[in-house]
Every structure is written in structure tokens, then in C-alpha cells.
Amino acid sequence: MINLKGPVARTRQLTVGYAGKAAATVPDLHLDGGVVWHVMGPNGSGKTAFLKTLAGLLPPVSGKIQRRCGMGPQGAIYVHSVPYLFAGSVRRNLEITHPERKQAEDVAGIFGLSPLLEREAAALSHGEQRRVALARALVGCPPLLLVDEPEGGLDEEALSAWRAFAVRALKESEPVLVVAAHRPLAFEDVPVREVRL
């Protein structure tokens, strides 16, 4: 984990969207770590565009983003609302972001994935794929983690694991966690700040 003091990202007069067409105007933000930033808004309000722009996957329509980290495991990681997994086993997917076997196996255990480590990721159920996508993002301990609708398709066990692991990461290494979600987020003992689009 790269421990960055001060805001990991800042936005100023930011408008986000696709192919130059505006979807949302974002309030000026200083995204500090140790906090869950909850991006809220109705369908089509620009939540996904905002997360992808913060991750560096979309250019801003206008305005500025200053990020103090790059992209990938040691930088910004975006987790799609529909799980995107790499070809190969669950183990391979986890070790892509953190090649140390023990770390990947520890996170697999937390997410209930240990029995599935050698299974092909493509053969998993939707809920299992969702757990793998979240575990893969968290195993790398990125300084900026952007998660689109993380709680969709998770059973109660996986939901509890995701929340507990996110809280632990926020307390231990203070990443910036930005979550787009329709419903209220239930994270114990960490502050949640709302961003409405």
C-alpha cells in the first residue's frame, strides 16, 4: 500500500460524461483516505462516469482532476458493477493484483473463496464472480478504490465480508474508497460522506 498523506484526489469544476457529452457536474472534492465516499443519484445521473473519470478510464468533459497516484494495483482501481474477470482460475485473478500467494489466499479466505481458488473464473455463479472481483481489488490495497454498486448480487456472507474487509483496509492503511450505490451504506466505525449527483 502506498500511504499518501493529504487528499489522494481533488476535483475542481468537474463535469463528467461520455464522448464529450455531459452526464453530471461534480462538486469540488478533496478525497481523503480513511473515509467511505458514497456517490448517490438516480439511474443515469453520472455515477459510473464519475468513478471511471476518477480512475483515469474516461477523460473529463471539462474541469480538472488531480490524482496523486497512477492506475492499477499501486494506484487507482475501478471495480465494474458487472464483474469483469480474467481468463483462468480464481487464484490467477487474485494474484494479478498481488502476486504474493499468502496475501491472495488470506483474502480468498475472508471472502469464502478458498474452495474455489483452482476453479475457472468463467464457471462461477454471478455472486461468486462478484466476490472474486471485489477480493481482487482489495487484495492489492490500492490507494484509490472506486467501486460501482458493490453490494449487488452478494449474499449475506459475502456482503459481511466485503464490509468488514473494507473497514479494516480503511483503518489500517487509509485508502480512498469511493462507492456508487443506490441504497445507504452500512460501514461500522468509519465515516461515510455523501456525494450527490
Side-chain angles (χ1 to χ4, degrees):
M1 159 61 76
I2 299 173
N3 198 352
L4 300 174
K5 294 294 182 191
V8 172
R10 298 174 190 231
T11 67
R12 182 164 172 77
Q13 299 179 341
L14 180 65
T15 300
V16 299
Y18 299 92
K21 185 176 178 184
T25 300
V26 179
D28 289 356
L29 299 171
H30 291 212
L31 297 171
D32 295 307
V35 174
V36 178
W37 295 85
H38 181 193
V39 182
M40 303 175 70
N43 285 341
S45 63
K47 297 186 300 295
T48 297
F50 174 47
L51 264 60
K52 288 184 173 181
T53 304
L54 275 179
L57 301 172
L58 287 175
V61 172
S62 64
K64 294 183 180 180
I65 293 178
Q66 294 177 312
R67 257 195 350 246
R68 296 178 56 217
C69 61
M71 293 171 60
Q74 296 301 309
I77 290 184
Y78 171 73
V79 182
H80 296 258
S81 58
V82 176
Y84 176 84
L85 300 180
F86 296 101
S89 68
V90 170
R91 181 184 298 280
R92 178 177 182 266
N93 270 270
L94 297 181
E95 290 180 356
I96 280 174
T97 54
H98 200 296
E100 185 181 313
R101 178 171 283 227
K102 183 176 184 327
Q103 175 76 358
E105 289 178 351
D106 287 348
V107 175
I110 292 167
F111 278 85
L113 296 169
S114 298
L116 306 176
L117 280 171
E118 306 313 326
R119 292 236 342 245
E120 287 293 312
L124 301 176
S125 70
H126 174 77
E128 290 167 340
Q129 289 182 350
R130 195 80 183 108
R131 281 192 276 162
V132 172
L134 286 168
R136 183 182 61 206
L138 289 164
V139 77
C141 301
L144 178 56
L145 179 58
L146 309 146
V147 190
D148 204 350
E149 296 294 342
E151 302 189 352
L154 294 182
D155 59 24
E156 283 304 314
E157 179 187 0
L159 200 55
S160 176
W162 141 250
R163 290 174 179 167
F165 198 90
V167 167
R168 190 173 88 187
L170 287 164
K171 288 183 172 181
E172 289 179 357
S173 51
E174 295 195 350
V176 173
L177 176 58
V178 184
V179 178
H182 286 91
R183 61 183 182 180
L185 296 173
F187 289 93
E188 293 183 15
D189 302 326
V190 293
V192 176
R193 295 187 189 153
E194 292 183 356
V195 179
R196 293 189 177 270
L197 300 184

